[in-house]
Amino acid sequence: MDFTNPLVYGVPCFLALILLELTYSRSHDHDHQHKNLYNFKDLKASLFMGVGSTIIAPLIKTISAIVIFTFVFETFNPLVDGVRTNIMGWESFGYAWYVWIFCQLLDDFTYYWFHRQNHMVRFLWAAHIVHHSSDNFNLGTAVRNGWFTILYKPFFYMWIPAIGFPPEMLVVCLGIEALWQFQLHSVYIPKLGIIDKIFNTHTMHQVHHAKNIEYMDKNHGGFINLFDRIFGTWKELDDDIEVEYGVTHAPESYNPWVILTHEYKDIWNDTKKSKNWYHKFMYVFGQPGWSHDGSTLTVKQMQLELEEEKQLKNKQPIPVARKTS
């Protein structure tokens, strides 16, 4: 069977929805809360990178789906008497409706770990930071994707065709995941009650894009938030915390090439800070913010410091008013 990636139909819808949100934010936000939702220079940079991803993605799709996924599928599921049988002994999966659902769940599980590692490994973060580099949160930001992420993403998903799911099925599930991720980038959808308990929703994705220390490295899920809850990275939007979007060290430029490459430049400069090869390795593959001398901190270290500050503040004795005569 042959399936078309849903993103082929999604791109024109993306552009239409961005225009709709932009128009709405300018004409209907009478309280000015979201009046400056869009910065046109920032939007221009985001669209440029989105167009670049749209051009590059089909080429990578050809390599990943037709070459890598197909090679893995056929290697681990050889034809035996005209039937594809997994090397572990079971027949590879067909196209029944429940197989589609299971494949989408496995895609979601893989997306969680792929996404989380993009935040945990600095060399991967250098590609993913592009998506977080804007201090605006809108549908324009949704298409602000790094071009280099596409080069290594397929390798996280190879295990799915290896166990017997058809490559074209996985490609469709990846496209559906991307469509869901796009619409999450909106400030106009409020908390959704019971739906928030199961799915990754708009307010949860606002947390993910926030640079508030409390919110950093949270809510990596795709469709559902189950894996964030299981692995301790889930956090709900706190109405008492004003969200600040972006990253702590954003590039001071709207030049797409600077946005795409600035973190690689920073990694290179950081490796020169020490002659110790372990330190050099950690600057490349350690957590973002790691430093051998404590000059910069990882997210976990910053969150630990914040928690300690809160605890100290709560332990401070309450001043007692003195009686005057």
Side-chain angles (χ1 to χ4, degrees):
M1 295 181 71
D2 181 34
F3 296 98
T4 301
N5 191 327
L7 284 178
V8 173
Y9 306 104
V11 171
C13 294
F14 291 172
L15 296 174
L17 288 171
I18 290 171
L19 181 60
L20 178 63
E21 183 183 56
L22 172 60
T23 304
Y24 183 86
S25 69
R26 295 281 171 175
S27 59
H28 287 77
D29 242 329
H30 300 297
D31 61 358
H32 297 278
Q33 182 181 2
H34 304 303
K35 200 75 173 180
N36 298 316
L37 186 66
Y38 279 86
N39 175 310
F40 280 102
K41 289 183 178 179
D42 185 75
L43 176 61
K44 182 180 176 181
S46 296
L47 291 176
F48 182 89
M49 286 177 282
V51 170
S53 296
T54 303
I55 294 172
I56 295 171
L59 302 177
I60 304 303
K61 177 195 168 186
T62 300
I63 297 173
S64 63
I66 298 178
V67 179
I68 299 176
F69 290 164
T70 301
F71 173 78
V72 170
F73 178 72
E74 293 180 350
T75 300
F76 287 85
N77 301 271
L79 278 171
V80 178
D81 296 328
V83 178
R84 289 209 173 274
T85 305
N86 191 271
I87 59 173
M88 299 300 292
W90 59 77
E91 186 176 326
S92 59
F93 306 110
Y95 301 98
W97 64 268
Y98 53 85
V99 177
W100 279 95
I101 294 176
F102 194 42
C103 186
Q104 193 72 66
L105 287 173
L106 295 183
D107 165 81
D108 207 62
F109 174 77
T110 308
Y111 178 85
Y112 170 83
W113 284 108
F114 159 74
H115 194 180
R116 184 171 176 177
Q117 293 310 304
N118 277 322
H119 285 256
M120 295 292 103
V121 180
R122 191 178 180 189
F123 188 73
L124 303 184
W125 173 242
H128 185 59
I129 193 176
V130 174
H131 183 62
H132 286 265
S133 60
S134 173
D135 58 5
N136 296 300
F137 184 79
N138 51 49
L139 294 179
T141 304
V143 300
R144 188 189 185 99
N145 294 314
W147 298 352
F148 307 124
T149 307
I150 308 170
L151 298 174
Y152 59 83
K153 184 176 181 178
F155 295 101
F156 281 83
Y157 290 82
M158 290 193 304
W159 72 279
I160 297 178
I163 64 175
F165 288 90
E168 58 272 19
M169 178 181 286
L170 176 56
V171 170
V172 173
C173 288
L174 283 166
I176 294 172
E177 187 94 55
L179 292 175
W180 180 265
Q181 283 291 309
F182 170 81
Q183 60 87 35
L184 290 179
H185 297 77
S186 177
V187 295
Y188 289 115
I189 308 299
K191 291 183 178 180
L192 299 173
I194 189 73
I195 297 176
D196 289 329
K197 304 296 182 183
I198 303 170
F199 294 97
N200 184 26
T201 55
H202 307 78
T203 53
M204 290 180 192
H205 207 59
Q206 289 177 43
V207 168
H208 180 71
H209 272 262
K211 61 181 178 182
N212 307 67
I213 296 176
E214 300 94 330
Y215 288 157
M216 287 182 179
D217 290 350
K218 301 297 183 183
N219 300 350
H220 301 294
F223 269 111
I224 56 179
N225 58 51
L226 172 66
F227 304 117
D228 280 299
R229 291 177 180 272
I230 291 175
F231 300 111
T233 53
W234 182 80
K235 189 169 182 65
E236 193 173 12
L237 184 68
D238 188 337
D239 294 329
D240 296 328
I241 300 175
E242 184 177 353
V243 180
E244 296 179 11
Y245 299 109
V247 291
T248 53
H249 300 289
E252 296 180 3
S253 174
Y254 295 113
N255 184 318
W257 183 247
V258 173
I259 296 171
L260 285 166
T261 62
H262 75 278
E263 183 67 11
Y264 295 105
K265 182 180 178 180
D266 289 345
I267 290 175
W268 175 250
N269 290 334
D270 285 345
T271 60
K272 299 176 184 178
K273 292 180 178 179
S274 172
K275 294 182 179 180
N276 184 300
W277 282 99
Y278 171 73
H279 294 164
K280 293 179 183 294
F281 177 85
M282 289 299 292
Y283 276 121
V284 179
F285 297 105
Q287 291 187 29
W290 182 93
S291 62
H292 73 285
D293 57 3
S295 58
T296 57
L297 302 176
T298 66
V299 169
K300 287 184 178 180
Q301 290 171 329
M302 288 190 290
Q303 289 175 341
L304 182 60
E305 277 193 354
L306 181 64
E307 189 61 33
E308 290 174 348
E309 289 175 6
K310 288 181 178 179
Q311 289 178 359
L312 287 173
K313 187 176 180 180
N314 292 334
K315 288 180 180 178
Q316 287 179 354
I318 301 174
V320 178
R322 293 186 178 181
K323 197 173 183 181
T324 58
S325 56

